[in-house]
Amino acid sequence: MESHNQTAVSQFLLHGLSDDTALQPVIFTLFLFMCLVTILGNLLIILMVSSDPHLHTPKYFFLCNLSFNDICLSTCTIPRMLVKLQTQDQRITYTGCLCQVAFVIVFAFVENLLLEVVKYDHYVAICHSLMYTFIMNRRLCVLLFLSCLLISITVAPVPFSDGAASVLLHKSGNSQLLL
């Protein structure tokens, strides 16, 4: 009879930037400041573009979407780290870890695809400047944005199938995976 590894992982330990308790408030303040600047800066971009009718062009439509995506990307990781720094609780559940990683990957995919769409927008503006408003109409811009979301949501979670997760855990052989 062959024995198998039956290790069940229910949580991981997150190891931060420093275990020195004297540095924890400094790191917390620095990351809180960076998070707030990121969120407020991107909100300011979104509010400026939405309040000025002259900025309702495809270029600024995609800029707003990139700003919103940046807010989502930064808020799916930094708050957990800030809570960890304040509470000294280094545990994260397996499901929480997979969800956090999945959201980071999806938002990273969306950002990369939106940057490709912005490149296409610039290409049309330069090479087909007389037809720009006809080609890059509102319908196409919304369709391009929705296709970025759809591709990201369908392609990004592929590495998180049950087989890939069990292989990762089987290869590690350790119930306290370090992230």
Side-chain angles (χ1 to χ4, degrees):
M1 183 166 190
E2 188 176 318
S3 64
H4 296 302
N5 184 2
Q6 299 294 324
T7 304
V9 176
S10 62
Q11 62 188 9
F12 297 121
L13 291 179
L14 296 174
H15 290 283
L17 302 172
S18 173
D19 289 333
D20 185 11
T21 55
L23 283 178
Q24 298 293 333
V26 174
I27 294 171
F28 176 82
T29 305
L30 179 69
F31 276 96
L32 180 63
F33 178 74
M34 288 188 325
C35 182
L36 290 176
V37 166
T38 300
I39 292 170
L40 292 176
N42 285 313
L43 279 176
L44 185 64
I45 290 171
I46 292 170
L47 289 174
M48 263 190 343
V49 170
S50 62
S51 66
D52 189 358
H54 296 295
L55 299 179
H56 292 178
T57 61
K59 174 179 162 180
Y60 291 106
F61 172 75
F62 294 125
L63 180 65
C64 281
N65 288 313
L66 278 168
S67 292
F68 180 73
N69 186 64
D70 194 29
I71 290 171
C72 294
L73 185 60
S74 57
T75 56
C76 71
T77 55
I78 294 177
R80 173 69 183 126
M81 186 179 66
L82 292 174
V83 168
K84 179 231 169 265
L85 285 170
Q86 282 299 99
T87 62
Q88 300 297 321
D89 183 21
Q90 297 180 343
R91 294 173 290 145
I92 186 169
T93 63
Y94 177 72
T95 307
C97 182
L98 278 183
C99 287
Q100 189 171 355
V101 170
F103 278 118
V104 167
I105 290 174
V106 165
F107 290 131
F109 264 72
V110 170
E111 183 171 355
N112 287 327
L113 291 173
L114 278 174
L115 287 173
E116 291 300 318
V117 169
V118 168
K119 284 196 276 187
Y120 175 71
D121 175 56
H122 286 268
Y123 165 77
V124 171
I126 292 169
C127 295
H128 303 286
S129 57
L130 296 176
M131 298 291 292
Y132 177 75
T133 55
F134 179 72
I135 295 172
M136 295 300 292
N137 57 36
R138 184 174 259 324
R139 182 174 176 257
L140 179 65
C141 291
V142 171
L143 186 65
L144 287 171
F145 173 68
L146 291 176
S147 65
C148 289
L149 285 177
L150 182 66
I151 290 170
S152 298
I153 291 171
T154 56
V155 173
V158 169
F160 296 107
S161 64
D162 289 336
S166 64
V167 167
L168 172 70
L169 295 174
H170 180 71
K171 295 275 186 207
S172 70
N174 189 356
S175 63
Q176 295 182 347
L177 226 59
L178 304 179
L179 298 179

